[in-house]
């Protein structure tokens, strides 16, 4: 049965095989595309098919290896125009997602205790949930980033494909229960990607930026991962030790969250050091 119950601090949305504890923020205006949002259907589909993300991930890894082998004897494609259009499209999508999810994010973070922002989820009936869904689905589209790399015969490092695969799987798993801490992860990711894809779009058509700019992009990415680790640790503390509020995040998802963000933090810090600090630079610092 689909319905809702409420308390002074939160409401509970009861959907198909899921109950979501959420902060009942309502948007004043909705975009046309947001009016088609149907949480019952979406959460039913995610609950039933989220494991399809593993199949997509496996297909992605296999396809990349096949294309890499096919490209060994071929000349690299330039794809400047296509790459610019691709990156600027993702940048625009990220900016819109940041703005729309940001409305709820800033309302909650300004007007509610921090604990509520990571334990009470987003309103499943409002645009913020639509953009959470769009965020999860966009992780499939972002797999094509790698296609551009391979066709241009650029090296695909472990961090690149691992990041794409794991974020896809985790996002779809989180969509099943509309994880409360996802409010932070989604807004951060939209924000970082707004900068990152804009940077990629401009560099793809020949713009050259000072080294500090690319370093800043990596710092933003790394910072996002460290915040993810901190939030997942705090949610575990709230759920397992304090237990003062109901947290909208299962232990399974929480374990996955911590493991992923910790691995990302380590990999991004390693990438940062290797990319921007040569042995000569380190000797100078010492």
């Amino acid at each position: 049965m689909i319905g809702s119950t409420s308390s002074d601090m939160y409401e509970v949305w009861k959907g198909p095989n899921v109950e979501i504890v959420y902060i009942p923020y309502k948007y004043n205006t909705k975009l046309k595309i947001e009016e088609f949002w149907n949480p019952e259907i979406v959460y039913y589909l995610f609950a039933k098919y989220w494991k399809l993300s593993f199949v997509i991930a496996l297909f992605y890894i296999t396809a990349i290896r096949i294309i890499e082998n096919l490209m060994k004897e071929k000349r690299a494609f330039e794809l400047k125009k296509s790459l610019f259009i691709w990156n600027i499209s993702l940048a625009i999508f990220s900016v819109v997602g940041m703005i729309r999810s940001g409305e709820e994010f800033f309302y909650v973070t300004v007007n509610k205790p921090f604990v509520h922002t990571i334990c009470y989820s987003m309103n499943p009936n409002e645009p913020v949930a639509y953009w959470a869904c769009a965020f999860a689905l966009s992780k499939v589209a972002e797999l094509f980033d790698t296609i551009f790399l391979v066709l241009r015969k650029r090296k695909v490092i472990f961090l690149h494909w691992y990041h794409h695969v794991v974020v896809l799987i985790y996002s779809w798993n989180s969509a099943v229960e509309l994880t409360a801490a996802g409010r932070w992860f989604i807004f951060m990711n939209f924000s970082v990607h707004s900068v990152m894809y804009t940077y990629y779009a401009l560099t793809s058509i020949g713009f050259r930026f000072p080294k500090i700019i690319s370093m800043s992009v990596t710092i933003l990415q790394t910072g996002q991962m460290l915040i993810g680790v901190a939030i997942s640790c705090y949610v575990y503390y709230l759920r397992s030790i304090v237990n003062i509020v109901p947290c909208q995040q299962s232990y399974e998802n929480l374990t996955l969250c911590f493991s992923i963000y910790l691995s990302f933090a380590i990999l991004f810090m390693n990438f940062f050091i290797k990319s921007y600090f040569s042995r000569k630079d380190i000797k100078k610092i010492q």
Side-chain angles (χ1 to χ4, degrees):
M1 180 178 177
I2 297 171
S4 65
T5 58
S6 64
S7 76
D8 293 336
M9 297 179 292
Y10 62 84
E11 293 184 4
V12 179
W13 182 83
K14 297 179 181 179
N17 303 316
V18 64
E19 288 190 358
I20 297 174
V21 179
Y22 69 93
I23 295 173
Y25 174 77
K26 292 188 177 182
Y27 284 63
N28 292 322
T29 59
K30 293 183 180 181
L31 302 178
K32 281 291 183 181
I33 195 170
E34 295 167 350
E35 294 176 358
F36 296 98
W37 174 246
N38 187 316
E40 290 85 7
I41 293 176
V42 172
Y43 295 125
Y44 168 77
L45 292 174
F46 267 118
K48 188 173 183 179
Y49 296 111
W50 82 267
K51 290 181 180 178
L52 184 62
S53 60
F54 287 97
V55 178
I56 296 172
L58 182 60
F59 178 80
Y60 159 75
I61 294 171
T62 304
I64 293 306
R65 296 295 171 250
I66 291 173
I67 297 172
E68 280 182 328
N69 287 329
L70 292 174
M71 288 298 296
K72 282 182 179 179
E73 305 301 324
K74 297 181 181 294
R75 294 181 61 183
F77 293 93
E78 284 196 10
L79 303 174
K80 283 187 177 181
K81 185 177 180 181
S82 299
L83 187 58
F84 172 77
I85 293 172
W86 176 252
N87 283 321
I88 203 66
S89 297
L90 288 175
I92 293 169
F93 167 76
S94 298
V95 169
V96 176
M98 176 185 67
I99 293 170
R100 295 304 287 161
S101 64
E103 179 179 328
E104 193 267 358
F105 177 82
F106 284 113
Y107 168 80
V108 171
T109 53
V110 170
N111 295 286
K112 303 292 181 181
F114 175 69
V115 170
H116 292 191
T117 72
I118 59 175
C119 279
Y120 300 152
S121 190
M122 301 158 273
N123 190 335
N125 297 298
E126 290 295 308
V128 65
Y130 170 89
W131 286 100
C133 174
F135 170 83
L137 294 177
S138 72
K139 299 309 162 188
V140 178
E142 288 175 10
L143 298 179
F144 285 90
D145 289 351
T146 318
I147 301 296
F148 280 102
L149 282 178
V150 175
L151 291 178
R152 295 164 66 223
K153 301 191 77 168
R154 302 296 174 86
K155 185 178 179 181
V156 180
I157 62 174
F158 172 76
L159 173 58
H160 176 90
W161 67 261
Y162 171 75
H163 176 264
H164 277 303
V165 165
V166 174
V167 170
L168 166 65
I169 294 171
Y170 178 68
S171 297
W172 282 35
N173 178 262
S174 298
V176 174
E177 57 188 70
L178 199 59
T179 304
R183 166 186 291 110
W184 283 83
F185 305 150
I186 291 169
F187 178 73
M188 286 194 300
N189 195 259
F190 272 140
S191 301
V192 172
H193 278 200
S194 297
V195 176
M196 185 184 78
Y197 280 113
T198 300
Y199 170 78
Y200 288 162
L202 294 175
T203 55
S204 70
I205 55 174
F207 279 83
R208 292 293 174 262
F209 295 95
K211 190 176 181 180
I212 188 64
I213 301 299
S214 59
M215 289 178 69
S216 298
V217 172
T218 307
I219 289 171
L220 285 174
Q221 292 172 310
T222 307
Q224 178 186 192
M225 307 314 168
L226 292 172
I227 292 172
V229 172
I231 288 177
S232 58
C233 287
Y234 193 46
V235 171
Y236 177 80
Y237 169 76
L238 292 172
R239 286 209 59 177
S240 303
I241 301 174
V242 181
N243 198 26
I244 56 175
V245 294
C247 279
Q248 182 63 37
Q249 187 170 15
S250 65
Y251 277 114
E252 293 79 7
N253 183 274
L254 184 55
T255 301
L256 188 60
C257 176
F258 173 76
S259 302
I260 288 171
Y261 272 110
L262 180 61
S263 66
F264 282 167
I266 293 170
L267 289 169
F268 270 97
M269 286 189 287
N270 181 60
F271 173 78
F272 182 83
I273 293 169
K274 285 186 175 180
S275 298
Y276 303 113
F277 293 97
S278 65
R279 290 182 180 179
K280 290 181 179 179
D281 292 329
I282 293 172
K283 286 181 180 179
K284 286 180 181 179
I285 293 172
Q286 293 174 338

